[in-house]
Amino acid sequence: MELSDLIDPESVVASLRVTSKKQALQELAKKAAELTGQPERAVFEVLIERERLGTTGVGHGIGIPHGKLPELDRLYGLFARLENPIDFDAIDEQPVDLIFVLLAPETAGADHLKALARVSRLFRDRAICDKLRGTDNADAIYALLTQGAASHAA
């Protein structure tokens, strides 16, 4: 599975202006609803419910909120670079400025976990994260995500 299977250029928010985790999830749910055709409220609820189980702030300024929706026909990804870092209750207590939302059908099973692993591997690369933080051009971000992910295939 490649990141290009999860995202397309419309899935990239190059400069999201939010001030809280809840606001970020609301804005990303709105964008995800446009991409998936799912109700915005349903997307938001699944993301919030997952956060209640434990933070998806994985450290080093990165959040990977994710969840499953029954009506989805495939996996969807959405990336946002925040204008300003926000408190995300991350495991390292550092603010988050890069967020990758992953939404999966309830039937996704192992594909959901493989996609999460792929996204996690990509964001462990500090050079790619620095480049993502260094641009607010959506096309450049999309290229970094998809080309960077290809070089991290395992």
Side-chain angles (χ1 to χ4, degrees):
M1 173 180 302
E2 299 298 327
L3 235 54
S4 57
D5 296 331
L6 302 175
I7 65 170
D8 55 39
E10 291 76 42
S11 307
V12 173
V13 180
S15 190
L16 184 63
R17 190 176 301 174
V18 292
T19 58
S20 69
K21 180 179 186 175
K22 182 178 179 186
Q23 186 183 19
L25 293 176
Q26 286 172 325
E27 290 300 317
L28 293 169
K30 185 185 303 179
K31 180 70 174 175
E34 294 170 16
L35 296 169
T36 64
Q38 298 301 301
E40 179 182 332
R41 187 82 196 154
V43 175
F44 178 71
E45 287 297 327
V46 80
L47 295 176
I48 283 292
E49 191 58 39
R50 174 57 189 83
E51 291 300 319
R52 286 187 187 116
L53 296 175
T55 184
T56 59
V58 296
H60 304 286
I62 301 184
I64 310 176
H66 55 277
K68 293 183 177 182
L69 290 163
E71 303 297 319
L72 286 182
D73 57 348
R74 65 177 183 87
L75 291 162
Y76 285 89
L78 171 65
F79 175 81
R81 176 190 159 279
L82 306 187
E83 276 193 11
N84 296 299
I86 58 169
D87 179 17
F88 210 82
D89 304 314
I91 57 173
D92 64 357
E93 300 180 0
Q94 296 301 306
V96 163
D97 63 346
L98 301 176
I99 299 176
F100 193 100
V101 175
L102 182 66
L103 298 171
E106 281 189 342
T107 57
D111 286 343
H112 180 229
L113 297 176
K114 287 177 188 171
L116 276 172
R118 172 60 52 90
V119 170
S120 295
R121 270 195 305 275
L122 174 67
F123 288 118
R124 278 198 294 262
D125 185 325
R126 296 285 167 257
I128 287 179
C129 290
D130 288 346
K131 289 176 184 174
L132 290 168
R133 289 181 171 110
T135 183
D136 60 3
N137 178 291
D139 292 333
I141 290 171
Y142 176 75
L144 282 166
L145 290 171
T146 55
Q147 292 163 9
S151 70
H152 288 82

